Amino acid sequence: MSNTPPAPASLASEHVDLQPRNVSFGWQDTPLHWLPHDPFAGHMINVLHLLLPAGERWFVHVYKQVLPHIRDERLRADVVGFIGQEAMHAAAHDDVLPHLKRLGLDPTPYTAQVDWLFEKLLGDRTLPPGRARHWWLMERVAMIAAIEHYTAFLGDWVLNAGELDRRGADPTMLDLLRWHGAEEVEHRSVAFDLFLHVDGNYGRRVRTWGTAFCALVFLWQRGVRFFMENDPQLVDGKASFGQFLRAGRQGVLPSAGAMARSIPTYLSRTYHPSQEGSTAQAAAYLAASPGANGGVRP
Ligand SMILES: [Fe+2]
Ligand SMILES: [Fe+2]
């Protein structure tokens, strides 16, 4: 509770009241290969639909337990807004899964494993009230801050990934990704500020970043291999690290270099999420998003 640095004036003026937006996406016209001629990059992005519903519900579950530990009313309001936005994200990505199944790619075997990971391995466990339970809660709060570093990174990337437009990516999928990405940019400081407020221990920040990073790499490579190998439109579909490097160079995925540079950024003692991404760009996208405005397309 003692590690909250005062927000610099320039950051305080950037503060926005967070609120979930009702969204609506119609998937009937979205093809399985929504990024034409690049099933690998499309499936790398599709892994989000596998991980986020369970992952973001887990954020909500953990944060509801942290609310009684918050001693700052504005931060509490931010966390409540964050919870509302993440719950909406989880539901929106969940809605893509039945569509993938209709197109012949049943994600259930993979999502069952992800559900187990978040509900059991990262769940509450049967800890008695006291130090061990508090330690586990703080570990998870720190882990969420590390994951949110990456959701903000990806959000900023997708808002600026003009190559997806140039390749003719499906407009509904792009809108889902950019609406979500824009809200990730909008609330990018909340998880980190909450971690600083309730704990802020640097050793914990580093340790939980390592755990979160390894888990994300493991889950992502398994997820993309699952999609490539089970895609009914591919003959002998395979995923490889070389394809990842190629897609990054072409701008249809974040580049390996940008991802590598984001590591020391998060581990810097002077890091704050407000230093990256543009709140104004996120707000501009949200104001124009067809999905976030009732699903009415121009
Ligand atoms: Fe999210
Ligand atoms: Fe988020």
Side-chain angles (χ1 to χ4, degrees):
M1 325 264 164
S2 57
N3 291 309
T4 312
S10 60
L11 302 183
S13 64
E14 268 230 322
H15 183 265
V16 282
D17 291 329
L18 299 172
Q19 39 195 304
R21 294 169 179 83
N22 278 321
V23 288
S24 160
F25 301 98
W27 294 112
Q28 60 282 354
D29 298 328
T30 299
L32 186 58
H33 294 174
W34 58 266
L35 182 61
H37 314 300
D38 198 338
F40 173 80
H43 284 325
M44 277 292 283
I45 296 173
N46 282 336
V47 174
L48 289 167
H49 312 312
L50 300 176
L51 299 182
L52 291 177
E56 294 181 312
R57 284 190 191 112
W58 175 72
F59 289 3
V60 171
H61 177 78
V62 172
Y63 273 15
K64 283 183 175 169
Q65 296 178 52
V66 186
L67 282 174
H69 298 271
I70 301 176
R71 302 279 175 262
D72 178 304
E73 284 312 310
R74 192 168 89 165
L75 181 59
R76 179 195 304 278
D78 286 345
V79 171
V80 169
F82 177 101
I83 287 172
Q85 290 191 339
E86 295 295 10
M88 196 66 80
H89 300 167
H93 284 275
D94 228 359
D95 280 350
V96 183
L97 298 177
H99 182 62
L100 294 180
K101 193 171 177 179
R102 275 193 296 275
L103 295 170
L105 190 40
D106 180 6
T108 316
Y110 189 90
T111 51
Q113 295 176 25
V114 176
D115 289 346
W116 176 85
L117 176 86
F118 284 106
E119 288 169 18
K120 298 283 187 271
L121 191 64
L122 294 172
D124 293 338
R125 307 186 179 169
T126 51
L127 296 169
R131 286 182 57 146
R133 187 188 283 189
H134 187 73
W135 179 89
W136 181 227
L137 185 59
M138 292 304 112
E139 286 289 294
R140 292 183 292 175
V141 167
M143 239 180 270
I144 293 172
I147 296 170
E148 282 286 295
H149 171 60
Y150 288 101
T151 58
F153 171 88
L154 292 173
D156 182 50
W157 174 78
V158 80
L159 286 173
N160 293 289
E163 189 60 20
L164 296 177
D165 302 87
R166 283 188 282 280
R167 298 279 183 104
D170 176 72
T172 305
M173 187 64 81
L174 260 189
D175 189 31
L176 168 74
L177 296 170
R178 287 184 172 150
W179 155 73
H180 186 175
E183 289 198 343
E184 291 302 323
V185 170
E186 185 182 51
H187 74 216
R188 66 195 182 282
S189 297
V190 175
F192 192 76
D193 285 344
L194 177 62
F195 167 63
L196 290 182
H197 182 70
V198 297
D199 185 77
N201 180 279
Y202 184 73
R204 172 170 274 144
R205 167 141 68 108
V206 174
R207 183 176 66 244
T208 52
W209 167 81
T211 307
F213 184 81
C214 293
L216 285 173
V217 170
F218 175 75
L219 290 169
W220 224 293
Q221 58 84 24
R222 267 178 75 88
V224 74
R225 276 178 25 220
F226 172 83
F227 272 141
M228 291 296 283
E229 289 167 10
N230 292 283
D231 185 325
Q233 297 179 19
L234 296 178
V235 179
D236 199 23
K238 291 265 186 299
S240 69
F241 192 64
Q243 288 171 288
F244 169 68
L245 295 176
R246 183 268 310 157
R249 278 195 302 273
Q250 294 177 349
V252 287
L253 289 179
S255 73
M259 296 193 73
R261 285 191 295 279
S262 77
I263 297 172
T265 300
Y266 184 69
L267 298 180
S268 161
R269 286 183 183 270
T270 59
Y271 168 81
H272 190 269
S274 56
Q275 297 157 352
E276 303 200 304
S278 163
T279 301
Q281 184 185 27
Y285 187 79
L286 291 167
S289 161
N293 289 282
V296 180
R297 290 180 184 284

